[in-house]
Amino acid sequence: MLRISLILAIVFGLAVGVLNVVMVKDKITKLAADRDNEKNMKVQAQTELASTKSQLRKTTDQLKQTQTELASTKDELSKASAEAASQQKRADTVTIERDKARKERDDAQAELAAYKLTDLKPEQILAIKKQYNDLVKQVEGLMGENKALGRRIVALTNELAIYRTPEYVVPLPPGLHGKVVASDPKWNFVILNVGEEQGVLEQGELLVNRNGKLVAKVKVRSVQKDRSVANVEPGWQIGEVLEGDQVIPANPKSS
């Protein structure tokens, strides 16, 4: 019985050993397959990574080349725009000069046509032009004389009014403005930078002010072309009047 038990134990042990060997072999086979599969996947991943890096380098190089070409294109575009603007400016200048030349040509043609219609020779036209210029000068001279005569008439009318009416107030132009250019305390007179041409009349009264403050009142005693001499009126001090003080009419003429 013991022998049978021992035999059964041995057989059972052998069966267990065989079963274990079979199971271990399956695990080893499975592990080897997993290892090989993982290795293959790793190799595939490394291959794909290398390919991706290669494509990335190519893409990077292409991007750099594109950026360089873009910068070059922008520079060429800027130069082309500047050149186009310059050409447009030159074209505008040429157009203006062309239009000016056309106008001068048309004016010259019109003058030539008008000249032909006169049936006059060049020397006759020059003589007429000289006569015209002489007449213009004569008219300007007469106008100047007429203006001076008008001022003289006004002055004489003013003197006559004073003679007839001693208390007559001499009116001066309302827009008259002048300055004191000199003063003499010893002889109690001032010199003004306005005269006959500005409408100043003898016996006319002016107010002297400085910065808007009244400092004196003067009466004109003599009048020249663009100067006049005036005395400081009683009640005012000649010493109060300074060079540069402003003068305006005390009795401006009503419009």
Side-chain angles (χ1 to χ4, degrees):
M1 189 68 181
L2 180 60
R3 183 179 296 176
I4 293 172
S5 298
L6 181 60
I7 292 171
L8 289 172
I10 291 172
V11 171
F12 182 75
L14 289 172
V16 170
V18 170
L19 181 61
N20 287 336
V21 169
V22 172
M23 292 177 67
V24 170
K25 183 179 180 181
D26 290 341
K27 288 184 178 180
I28 291 173
T29 302
K30 187 175 183 301
L31 288 172
D34 291 343
R35 181 200 63 192
D36 292 341
N37 186 39
E38 183 179 352
K39 182 178 180 181
N40 291 333
M41 291 176 65
K42 183 177 181 181
V43 170
Q44 183 180 358
Q46 288 177 343
T47 301
E48 291 177 353
L49 177 61
S51 176
T52 300
K53 287 183 177 179
S54 176
Q55 291 179 358
L56 179 61
R57 283 195 297 272
K58 290 181 180 179
T59 302
T60 302
D61 292 340
Q62 290 177 354
L63 177 61
K64 289 182 179 179
Q65 183 178 359
T66 301
Q67 290 176 338
T68 302
E69 292 175 353
L70 179 61
S72 177
T73 302
K74 287 183 177 179
D75 184 57
E76 292 177 356
L77 178 61
S78 177
K79 291 181 179 178
S81 298
E83 179 64 22
S86 177
Q87 290 181 357
Q88 182 62 45
K89 185 177 181 180
R90 288 196 294 269
D92 293 341
T93 301
V94 170
T95 300
I96 292 173
E97 292 178 351
R98 181 203 63 194
D99 293 343
K100 182 180 178 181
R102 284 179 177 177
K103 185 177 183 305
E104 291 176 350
R105 180 202 63 192
D106 294 341
D107 292 345
Q109 289 178 345
E111 290 179 1
L112 179 60
Y115 164 72
K116 289 181 178 179
L117 290 174
T118 62
D119 292 329
L120 295 174
K121 295 180 179 180
E123 57 270 17
Q124 292 175 316
I125 293 177
L126 291 176
I128 292 174
K129 183 177 181 180
K130 184 178 182 305
Q131 292 176 0
Y132 172 76
N133 292 334
D134 291 342
L135 288 173
V136 169
K137 290 180 180 179
Q138 291 178 13
V139 170
E140 290 176 349
L142 291 173
M143 290 177 64
E145 293 177 2
N146 186 52
K147 187 176 180 180
L149 182 59
R151 290 197 297 265
R152 183 56 182 163
I153 291 173
V154 171
L156 291 174
T157 302
N158 180 64
E159 292 178 7
L160 181 60
I162 294 173
Y163 175 77
R164 289 178 175 177
T165 310
E167 63 274 13
Y168 173 73
V169 176
V170 179
L172 296 178
L176 178 64
H177 290 80
K179 289 183 180 180
V180 175
V181 295
S183 63
D184 189 330
K186 181 178 179 181
W187 299 104
N188 195 41
F189 72 84
V190 295
I191 299 177
L192 310 177
N193 68 343
V194 287
E196 187 179 58
E197 289 194 344
Q198 291 76 35
V200 178
L201 298 172
E202 289 186 8
Q203 303 300 315
E205 295 179 334
L206 298 106
L207 301 177
V208 183
N209 68 87
R210 184 183 313 124
N211 298 325
K213 181 181 178 181
L214 182 63
V215 296
K217 185 177 182 181
V218 298
K219 179 176 287 189
V220 178
R221 296 304 180 190
S222 64
V223 181
Q224 299 176 8
K225 181 179 179 181
D226 55 2
R227 287 286 187 276
S228 56
V229 177
N231 293 126
V232 176
E233 290 284 82
W236 301 92
Q237 297 295 325
I238 181 64
E240 295 293 330
V241 181
L242 301 177
E243 181 179 340
D245 287 345
Q246 305 289 321
V247 294
I248 59 174
N251 302 292
K253 184 187 300 183
S254 59
S255 57

